[in-house]
Amino acid sequence: MDFLCELILGLVALAAAGLIAVLLIAHFTAGMVDLTRHEKEKYFLTSTGEKKPFPSLHDPHSCELSVVVPSYNEELRLPVMMEEAMEYLENRQKQHPAFTYEVIVVDDGSKDKTTEVALKYSKQYGCDKVRVLTQQKNRGKGGAVRMGTLSSRGKLILMADADGATKFPDLDKVEAGLHDIKNKPNNMAISCGSRAHLEHDSVAQRSMFRTFLMYGFHFLVWFFCVRGIKDTQCGFKLFTREAALKTFSSMHVERWAFDVELLYIAQCFQIPIAEVAVNWTEIEGSKLVPVWSWLQMGRDLVSIRLRYITGAWKLESPRKTD
């Protein structure tokens, strides 16, 4: 009996020591995000080749909608998405002349001709409607979205993937979801496109191992970070300008799990979040490596919660990002 008690106490002590070790590792390995811009990242090119400075998210809005498109080696897939987006936006402006918009393509340190492809649209539609932000190094999807958002002018800010997997006209649905939120504290609200309604069909097409990883990821999201949102990873999210400033000011993760941290921050600040079903199609050429990327995201999910718990990361005031 004494031996059993000693064994239990030893296991408890070992578990406590392990937990403390994990917390210490999470705390002391937490890096702070470098928001310093290279000189070339501060400007966009006009159709005549003139350099003009990007505005700041801290400035008052000067158009109705900003669309931020993170792009890494997307010279082949970007044109399809841009054609669909520009057709929708131009038609909407013709129907409602007061509607103004901008599309910011953020080239995340691509090695192909992503910037050149994006600049063609800037020349075609003018730099007031299409701007290109070329990052000098690869930051990751989250870093690209943040840099584009911090450079935007819109009253509403939409993040949309360059692959066009979500049909752009579904903006109407996501926008309706945002407007349906009645209580917006300080005009802060977020509307997330969701593929959760497609999950049953996707499970039928996946191997058992990939299905296990998917559900494991969903559990980690629910357990450590975000509750009440079925699909945190859909790259079609609409923010009010105030919500974007509040959340992106505190964001640390710049790779695939950045969506989860953004929504975690939003829930910490009690920013209301709507989830809206959107059409979604699998597009070839994804940069996401199924097994390895999910394992990385799982690690990041645990790190997000532990680093906020230990105080290594803090929820910042928007002024801190100036």
Side-chain angles (χ1 to χ4, degrees):
M1 191 70 175
D2 291 339
F3 172 75
L4 182 60
C5 290
E6 289 178 3
L7 179 62
I8 292 173
L9 288 174
L11 291 174
V12 170
L14 186 63
L19 178 60
I20 292 171
V22 168
L23 289 173
L24 289 173
I25 291 171
H27 183 86
F28 288 108
T29 60
M32 301 308 292
V33 177
D34 181 13
L35 291 178
T36 305
R37 293 196 189 206
H38 188 279
E39 192 65 22
K40 293 181 179 179
E41 297 172 350
K42 298 177 182 179
Y43 302 92
F44 63 91
L45 293 178
T46 67
S47 56
T48 60
E50 181 186 357
K51 289 198 304 184
K52 286 193 174 182
F54 278 105
S56 168
L57 186 60
H58 293 265
D59 300 335
H61 76 271
S62 57
C63 68
E64 289 299 309
L65 175 70
S66 291
V67 181
V68 177
V69 186
S71 307
Y72 178 66
N73 293 340
E74 294 288 3
E75 65 172 319
L76 298 179
R77 300 196 299 177
L78 183 62
V80 178
M81 180 270 173
M82 286 296 291
E83 292 292 339
E84 182 180 65
M86 297 308 295
E87 180 182 4
Y88 168 90
L89 294 167
E90 286 291 287
N91 286 338
R92 180 166 172 176
Q93 191 172 65
K94 288 176 183 177
Q95 294 171 10
H96 307 282
F99 172 74
T100 53
Y101 72 89
E102 67 173 351
V103 177
I104 303 174
V105 178
V106 185
D107 182 345
D108 188 25
S110 298
K111 298 175 183 177
D112 65 359
K113 296 181 179 179
T114 296
T115 287
E116 289 86 338
V117 169
L119 282 172
K120 290 180 181 178
Y121 290 93
S122 184
K123 291 177 181 177
Q124 180 179 352
Y125 292 96
C127 65
D128 200 50
K129 291 184 175 180
V130 180
R131 296 179 175 182
V132 183
L133 196 168
T134 303
Q135 299 193 140
Q136 299 304 297
K137 65 177 182 179
N138 177 261
R139 287 178 175 267
K141 182 182 177 183
V145 172
R146 187 209 334 249
M147 202 59 76
T149 300
L150 294 177
S151 306
S152 63
R153 296 175 289 154
K155 184 178 181 181
L156 299 179
I157 301 169
L158 174 74
M159 52 176 274
D161 287 345
D163 61 4
T166 302
K167 294 303 177 185
F168 203 85
D170 278 359
L171 171 60
D172 292 340
K173 299 178 183 178
V174 178
E175 201 169 357
L178 192 72
H179 291 315
D180 285 345
I181 297 174
K182 302 302 182 185
N183 183 26
K184 299 184 181 72
N186 297 315
N187 199 42
M188 293 189 295
I190 301 171
S191 183
C192 300
S194 175
R195 305 158 297 179
H197 61 294
L198 305 172
E199 189 171 287
H200 182 270
D201 292 337
S202 66
V203 167
Q205 298 171 11
R206 282 192 175 103
S207 67
M208 184 178 295
F209 179 64
R210 289 184 66 183
T211 299
F212 172 78
L213 285 177
M214 181 189 71
Y215 282 122
F217 176 77
H218 288 174
F219 172 77
L220 290 176
V221 169
W222 175 85
F223 186 78
F224 285 105
C225 298
V226 177
R227 299 186 179 183
I229 305 297
K230 294 179 181 178
D231 182 8
T232 59
Q233 300 308 111
C234 181
F236 205 73
K237 294 182 175 66
L238 186 66
F239 300 76
T240 62
R241 190 173 186 83
E242 294 80 3
L245 180 60
K246 194 76 169 177
T247 52
F248 281 95
S249 295
S250 289
M251 194 183 86
H252 299 82
V253 176
E254 294 193 307
R255 299 288 170 179
W256 298 110
F258 83 96
D259 302 77
V260 177
E261 189 192 6
L262 270 181
L263 296 177
Y264 172 78
I265 293 167
Q267 290 190 337
C268 287
F269 283 127
Q270 298 184 329
I271 297 173
I273 304 170
E275 189 172 14
V276 181
V278 295
N279 295 302
W280 187 84
T281 307
E282 184 81 45
I283 305 294
E284 291 185 4
S286 173
K287 309 298 185 300
L288 194 68
V289 181
V291 176
W292 178 243
S293 295
W294 288 339
L295 292 175
Q296 285 181 314
M297 285 193 286
R299 178 202 63 192
D300 287 344
L301 292 179
V302 177
S303 298
I304 288 168
R305 187 56 184 263
L306 293 182
R307 285 167 178 166
Y308 278 109
I309 287 175
T310 62
W313 290 350
K314 293 180 173 62
L315 298 173
E316 302 287 353
S317 161
R319 292 188 298 274
K320 297 287 182 67
T321 61
D322 282 336

